[in-house]
PDB file of all heavy atoms in Angstrom:
ATOM      1  N   LYS Y 497      -2.166 -18.214-107.148  1.00  0.00           N
ATOM      2  CA  LYS Y 497      -1.306 -18.437-105.961  1.00  0.00           C
ATOM      3  C   LYS Y 497      -1.005 -19.883-105.954  1.00  0.00           C
ATOM      4  O   LYS Y 497      -1.786 -20.714-106.243  1.00  0.00           O
ATOM      5  CB  LYS Y 497      -2.112 -18.053-104.721  1.00  0.00           C
ATOM      6  CG  LYS Y 497      -1.787 -16.645-104.238  1.00  0.00           C
ATOM      7  CD  LYS Y 497      -2.487 -16.395-102.908  1.00  0.00           C
ATOM      8  CE  LYS Y 497      -1.462 -15.687-101.950  1.00  0.00           C
ATOM      9  NZ  LYS Y 497      -2.059 -15.607-100.532  1.00  0.00           N
ATOM     10  N   LYS Y 538      11.676 -15.642-106.099  1.00  0.00           N
ATOM     11  CA  LYS Y 538      12.214 -16.593-105.134  1.00  0.00           C
ATOM     12  C   LYS Y 538      12.380 -17.962-105.761  1.00  0.00           C
ATOM     13  O   LYS Y 538      13.231 -18.806-105.367  1.00  0.00           O
ATOM     14  CB  LYS Y 538      11.313 -16.786-103.816  1.00  0.00           C
ATOM     15  CG  LYS Y 538       9.926 -17.364-104.030  1.00  0.00           C
ATOM     16  CD  LYS Y 538       9.447 -17.898-102.661  1.00  0.00           C
ATOM     17  CE  LYS Y 538       8.653 -16.736-101.813  1.00  0.00           C
ATOM     18  NZ  LYS Y 538       7.754 -17.436-100.812  1.00  0.00           N
ATOM     19  N   ASP Y 556       3.353 -17.163-103.826  1.00  0.00           N
ATOM     20  CA  ASP Y 556       3.377 -18.408-103.007  1.00  0.00           C
ATOM     21  C   ASP Y 556       2.188 -18.498-102.175  1.00  0.00           C
ATOM     22  O   ASP Y 556       1.611 -17.611-101.766  1.00  0.00           O
ATOM     23  CB  ASP Y 556       4.703 -18.454-102.138  1.00  0.00           C
ATOM     24  CG  ASP Y 556       5.279 -19.809-102.009  1.00  0.00           C
ATOM     25  OD1 ASP Y 556       4.609 -20.804-102.355  1.00  0.00           O
ATOM     26  OD2 ASP Y 556       6.355 -19.883-101.430  1.00  0.00           O
ATOM     27  N   THR Y 557       1.679 -19.764-101.897  1.00  0.00           N
ATOM     28  CA  THR Y 557       0.508 -20.156-101.246  1.00  0.00           C
ATOM     29  C   THR Y 557       0.240 -19.153-100.109  1.00  0.00           C
ATOM     30  O   THR Y 557      -0.972 -18.723 -99.968  1.00  0.00           O
ATOM     31  CB  THR Y 557       0.494 -21.590-100.871  1.00  0.00           C
ATOM     32  OG1 THR Y 557       0.995 -22.405-101.861  1.00  0.00           O
ATOM     33  CG2 THR Y 557      -0.844 -22.075-100.477  1.00  0.00           C
ATOM     34  N   HIS Y 558       1.083 -18.978 -99.305  1.00  0.00           N
ATOM     35  CA  HIS Y 558       0.820 -18.285 -97.992  1.00  0.00           C
ATOM     36  C   HIS Y 558       1.360 -16.837 -98.010  1.00  0.00           C
ATOM     37  O   HIS Y 558       1.281 -16.202 -97.001  1.00  0.00           O
ATOM     38  CB  HIS Y 558       1.350 -19.004 -96.783  1.00  0.00           C
ATOM     39  CG  HIS Y 558       0.670 -20.464 -96.740  1.00  0.00           C
ATOM     40  ND1 HIS Y 558      -0.692 -20.497 -96.428  1.00  0.00           N
ATOM     41  CD2 HIS Y 558       1.321 -21.531 -96.897  1.00  0.00           C
ATOM     42  CE1 HIS Y 558      -0.950 -21.855 -96.445  1.00  0.00           C
ATOM     43  NE2 HIS Y 558       0.129 -22.460 -96.704  1.00  0.00           N
ATOM     44  N   ASP Y 559       1.794 -16.355 -99.047  1.00  0.00           N
ATOM     45  CA  ASP Y 559       2.303 -14.945 -99.294  1.00  0.00           C
ATOM     46  C   ASP Y 559       1.236 -13.990 -99.455  1.00  0.00           C
ATOM     47  O   ASP Y 559       0.116 -14.278-100.040  1.00  0.00           O
ATOM     48  CB  ASP Y 559       3.404 -14.904-100.292  1.00  0.00           C
ATOM     49  CG  ASP Y 559       4.708 -15.466 -99.805  1.00  0.00           C
ATOM     50  OD1 ASP Y 559       4.826 -15.726 -98.702  1.00  0.00           O
ATOM     51  OD2 ASP Y 559       5.625 -15.620-100.608  1.00  0.00           O
ATOM     52  N   VAL Y 560       1.567 -12.768 -99.109  1.00  0.00           N
ATOM     53  CA  VAL Y 560       0.606 -11.568 -99.328  1.00  0.00           C
ATOM     54  C   VAL Y 560       0.678 -11.272-100.833  1.00  0.00           C
ATOM     55  O   VAL Y 560       1.700 -11.158-101.240  1.00  0.00           O
ATOM     56  CB  VAL Y 560       1.023 -10.425 -98.507  1.00  0.00           C
ATOM     57  CG1 VAL Y 560       0.159  -9.218 -98.625  1.00  0.00           C
ATOM     58  CG2 VAL Y 560       1.020 -10.872 -97.022  1.00  0.00           C
ATOM     59  N   VAL Y 578       7.635  -8.755-101.023  1.00  0.00           N
ATOM     60  CA  VAL Y 578       7.541 -10.251-101.020  1.00  0.00           C
ATOM     61  C   VAL Y 578       7.943 -10.719-102.316  1.00  0.00           C
ATOM     62  O   VAL Y 578       7.273 -10.332-103.420  1.00  0.00           O
ATOM     63  CB  VAL Y 578       6.085 -10.730-100.507  1.00  0.00           C
ATOM     64  CG1 VAL Y 578       6.126 -12.233-100.604  1.00  0.00           C
ATOM     65  CG2 VAL Y 578       5.765 -10.281 -99.251  1.00  0.00           C
TER      66      VAL Y 578
END
Side-chain angles (χ1 to χ4, degrees):
K497 269 188 136 186
K538 65 159 88 159
D556 213 349
T557 315
H558 300 294
D559 281 351
V560 180
V578 179

